[in-house]
Amino acid sequence: MKNKLKYIILLIITCNFAITFAQEREKDTIDTDVVNVVKPYTPTISDAFKIKETPTLNDSTTIKKKEIKYNIFSIPVASTFTPAKGKAATVDKEKQVKLYDNYASLGLGTYTTILGEVYLNHAISRTERVGGYFSHHSSAGDIEGVNFDNNFSETGLNAHYSQKMRDYAWKVEGGFQLQSYNWYGLPDQTIPTFDVGHSFYTANIGGNIKFDDAIFKKGSVLFRRFGDDQDSGENRFILKSGFDVPVADEIVNAEVKIDYIGGSFDKSYFGNEELNYSNIIFGLSPTYKMTQDDLTLDLGVNLVYLNDTEASDGKFFIYPNITASYRLVDELLIAYGSLKGDLNQNSYYGFAQENPFVSPTLFIAPTDQAYSATVGIKGKLSNSMSYNVSGQYMAENNKGLFKSNPDSGIEQENYQFGNSFGIAYDDVKTFAIGGELNVDINRNFKLGLKADYFAYNTDNEAEAWNLPDIEASAFLDYQIDEHWFAGANVFFVGERKDLFIPIGGSTVEIIPQTINLDSYFDANAHVGYKITDQLSAFAKVNNIANQNYNRWLNYPVQGIQFLAGATYQFDF
């Protein structure tokens, strides 16, 4: 009986479970049909359900907080401390240096040396200024081992007027210079002395103009008259202008140049015929500048036409005008290079300023600089130190070289005793490598070092006459304190070569000799003391090593020289 009851109960439970499962399955709406998604599913996030009220804590162990009351008892305390009023700290500022527009300087030294300068600059109005400059430098010479007069004198005067307007500025200036020298470099200093003096004069007038916002950017003009006391004369006229030309939404910078030179010499070195020369150069240099990230590239060409009016001949030249720079490491390392060329106008004035002992019998012609290729790196090692290292290869056709003149022998002028220099033209290729380092600390300490090495290759001449193989220089400026300042400079020039032709007779064969001019260095120093804001005193010493080196063949220089003077600054 019990077994039957057990089976009946199990049967009832199984039936209830089956019925319940069947009912739940009938409520299920999920079918196996294919669902086509018409719109992408974009779920949204609903706000979380938050409890609106704080539940009450029904805990029999909760301790009720006791109410605490605070009472303050004031007790007077005797005190004699009285705090001082605060004062803002001040920043120590350097006294502003008063700048003056004018100064005058005068110095006297050994060898009866006189050095004087006067600079004037006056503001007529807010837009107009007028000024002038006067300088004089002379010495009695007295060079050891020289029997002929070797004094020199240089005096110059310049005046200018300028005006600054809203969109442009212009300036006009003119000047005059007188220079006196002596051809004292005779190979034989034992012959009876005679007058070897000669002088140059220069007069010039010119001006320039600059525009801020215009196609025409700048322009300049210069006329210069140069001559000597040997009836030689030269006229030079230079006109330059720069403007921007818009081309297809780009700007092309262009420069135009007109350079005329014409002059004459009373006679040639070995004859009495007059020497005349006249050249005019027309130049056009368009340049397109491209900048992209760290690269800057200037692409241009230099078109030049030469008209030799004396020979009635003309020639056209095309030169490259390309420069590029690339920042490899910001300001630390910048690579640069260039490929340029030009037709350089030589002049009697230019030769005489470089070598005042040239004879008034020169042949003047331009130099064709076919190309000059330069590569280098530069940058800043720190905020106060910069460097530059470069190499250059240059090809120049018809380059002028200073070359010692021989003794003419008969009917001699005072420059025909082997004591003057002429110009020898030759095609010269030059390789150069050099570097420089500049240090500038707080504007109180400045140091500069520079050195260059040169190698030359000539076509016709045996040597590149009077061109050095090494040039080096260093300078130092130091503002010691508010009153004291000092400085020094040293330069070194390597060996040079010149040609010496001895005097011969009818039975003596003349054999030219190549002379090696020794290298030399020249050290100079100065010190000064600022007495007041306007008055200061200075002292200089030149050629400290006391070397009587030859700058040119048979032309020694003065030994150690001392000079002292004062400078006064003022305003009108």
Side-chain angles (χ1 to χ4, degrees):
M1 185 68 182
K2 289 182 180 180
N3 290 334
K4 291 180 179 181
L5 181 61
K6 189 182 298 184
Y7 288 126
I8 293 171
I9 293 172
L10 180 61
L11 181 62
I12 294 171
I13 292 173
T14 303
C15 292
N16 280 336
F17 177 78
I19 293 170
T20 303
F21 178 79
Q23 289 175 351
E24 292 294 328
R25 182 70 184 84
E26 291 174 358
K27 294 178 182 180
D28 190 0
T29 60
I30 298 177
D31 298 328
T32 59
D33 297 339
V34 177
V35 179
N36 296 323
V37 178
V38 179
K39 181 180 180 182
Y41 176 63
T42 54
T44 59
I45 300 176
S46 60
D47 293 338
F49 176 76
K50 299 179 181 179
I51 300 176
K52 302 294 184 178
E53 57 185 3
T54 304
T56 59
L57 183 63
N58 186 11
D59 193 348
S60 59
T61 62
T62 302
I63 301 175
K64 186 178 180 180
K65 293 181 180 181
K66 294 182 180 181
E67 184 179 358
I68 300 176
K69 295 182 179 180
Y70 295 92
N71 294 321
I72 298 175
F73 297 95
S74 300
I75 300 175
V77 178
S79 176
T80 59
F81 173 71
T82 304
K85 296 181 179 180
K87 184 178 180 181
T90 59
V91 178
D92 295 333
K93 296 182 179 179
E94 294 184 1
K95 183 180 178 182
Q96 187 175 4
V97 179
K98 169 65 175 177
L99 300 178
Y100 297 90
D101 292 334
N102 314 277
Y103 76 87
S105 179
L106 179 63
L108 302 175
T110 55
Y111 297 96
T112 320
T113 300
I114 302 175
L115 179 63
E117 291 180 336
V118 177
Y119 177 78
L120 304 176
N121 188 17
H122 178 63
I124 302 176
S125 65
R126 294 181 59 184
T127 60
E128 297 175 285
R129 301 191 76 90
V130 64
Y133 176 73
F134 171 80
S135 65
H136 175 80
H137 185 200
S138 62
S139 176
D142 299 329
I143 299 175
E144 183 179 356
V146 177
N147 295 327
F148 290 84
D149 291 339
N150 49 84
N151 59 297
F152 72 89
S153 175
E154 299 174 346
T155 304
L157 178 64
N158 182 276
H160 67 268
Y161 171 83
S162 62
Q163 187 175 33
K164 172 67 177 177
M165 306 302 290
R166 180 178 179 181
D167 298 324
Y168 66 94
W170 63 277
K171 180 180 181 180
V172 61
E173 59 184 338
F176 181 81
Q177 186 179 35
L178 180 63
Q179 301 167 291
S180 298
Y181 302 98
N182 287 276
W183 284 299
Y184 62 86
L186 279 79
D188 185 5
Q189 292 288 326
T190 62
I191 64 175
T193 60
F194 53 89
D195 183 18
V196 291
H198 66 286
S199 60
F200 304 111
Y201 69 87
T202 308
N204 64 275
I205 186 171
N208 61 75
I209 187 169
K210 294 182 180 180
F211 293 89
D212 294 334
D213 297 315
I215 295 179
F216 182 80
K217 290 297 182 181
K218 60 183 179 180
S220 64
V221 61
L222 170 68
F223 174 77
R224 180 177 62 231
R225 172 66 181 181
F226 179 73
D228 58 27
D229 60 350
Q230 306 288 328
D231 295 329
S232 306
E234 177 182 83
N235 295 319
R236 182 83 178 270
F237 177 80
I238 304 174
L239 176 65
K240 294 181 179 180
S241 65
F243 52 92
D244 293 338
V245 180
V247 178
D249 297 331
E250 300 290 344
I251 299 297
V252 175
N253 176 264
E255 293 187 358
V256 176
K257 177 179 70 174
I258 300 176
D259 189 346
Y260 166 79
I261 190 169
S264 64
F265 295 100
D266 187 55
K267 58 187 298 186
S268 64
Y269 192 79
F270 290 103
N272 293 320
E273 67 275 10
E274 184 177 357
L275 298 177
N276 298 306
Y277 58 95
S278 178
N279 299 310
I280 184 169
I281 295 175
F282 300 92
L284 174 63
S285 302
T287 304
Y288 171 71
K289 186 172 186 177
M290 181 180 67
T291 303
Q292 184 176 1
D293 297 332
D294 295 326
L295 175 65
T296 301
L297 180 63
D298 289 342
L299 298 174
V301 63
N302 188 10
L303 308 175
V304 178
Y305 177 75
L306 169 66
N307 183 16
D308 187 345
T309 57
E310 187 68 25
S312 301
D313 187 21
K315 193 173 182 181
F316 186 72
F317 301 85
I318 301 178
Y319 300 102
N321 188 17
I322 302 172
T323 60
S325 65
Y326 184 77
R327 297 178 182 269
L328 298 173
V329 186
D330 294 332
E331 297 290 333
L332 180 63
L333 183 61
I334 301 174
Y336 67 92
S338 66
L339 181 62
K340 294 185 176 183
D342 201 358
L343 186 65
N344 299 320
Q345 187 84 280
N346 293 315
S347 65
Y348 182 31
Y349 171 83
F351 288 138
Q353 297 306 303
E354 186 176 355
N355 183 354
F357 309 112
V358 292
S359 63
T361 59
L362 305 180
F363 177 74
I364 305 297
T367 295
D368 171 23
Q369 187 185 84
Y371 60 86
S372 175
T374 304
V375 293
I377 57 173
K378 61 181 180 179
K380 289 185 176 182
L381 300 176
S382 66
N383 290 332
S384 59
M385 185 179 297
S386 62
Y387 69 93
N388 186 6
V389 179
S390 64
Q392 183 184 32
Y393 186 78
M394 179 170 51
E396 296 174 288
N397 300 320
N398 207 45
K399 179 180 177 62
L401 304 172
F402 292 107
K403 185 177 178 181
S404 178
N405 285 326
D407 192 320
S408 64
I410 56 173
E411 297 183 0
Q412 295 172 306
E413 300 287 346
N414 58 355
Y415 55 82
Q416 292 181 314
F417 291 81
N419 56 336
S420 64
F421 295 84
I423 300 296
Y425 291 94
D426 196 6
D427 296 343
V428 181
K429 292 181 176 61
T430 306
F431 170 76
I433 185 171
E436 59 181 306
L437 180 68
N438 293 291
V439 180
D440 189 349
I441 302 176
N442 298 329
R443 297 183 180 180
N444 292 328
F445 179 86
K446 294 182 179 180
L447 173 66
L449 303 172
K450 184 178 181 181
D452 295 284
Y453 168 78
F454 304 94
Y456 309 98
N457 182 24
T458 58
D459 282 354
N460 300 318
E461 297 292 333
E463 301 287 347
W465 308 117
N466 284 291
L467 294 181
D469 57 353
I470 296 176
E471 286 185 345
S473 62
F475 76 90
L476 169 68
D477 284 322
Y478 181 44
Q479 184 70 39
I480 302 173
D481 57 24
E482 183 180 357
H483 296 283
W484 287 97
F485 58 92
N489 65 79
V490 179
F491 59 88
F492 173 84
V493 177
E495 289 187 354
R496 295 135 293 134
K497 295 183 179 181
D498 204 341
L499 188 66
F500 172 69
I501 301 178
I503 301 176
S506 58
T507 60
V508 179
E509 183 181 1
I510 300 176
I511 301 177
Q513 302 174 8
T514 299
I515 305 296
N516 289 326
L517 299 177
D518 294 335
S519 60
Y520 64 89
F521 79 95
D522 199 330
N524 312 286
H526 69 271
V527 64
Y529 181 78
K530 191 174 182 180
I531 303 172
T532 66
D533 289 342
Q534 295 179 266
L535 181 63
S536 60
F538 63 87
K540 296 182 179 181
V541 55
N542 296 330
N543 197 0
I544 297 175
N546 195 27
Q547 290 191 334
N548 293 103
Y549 57 84
N550 284 276
R551 174 63 183 90
W552 305 98
L553 179 62
N554 298 321
Y555 277 89
V557 300
Q558 294 174 337
I560 188 170
Q561 308 147 40
F562 298 94
L563 184 140
T567 300
Y568 181 73
Q569 303 178 79
F570 58 95
D571 284 333
F572 287 119

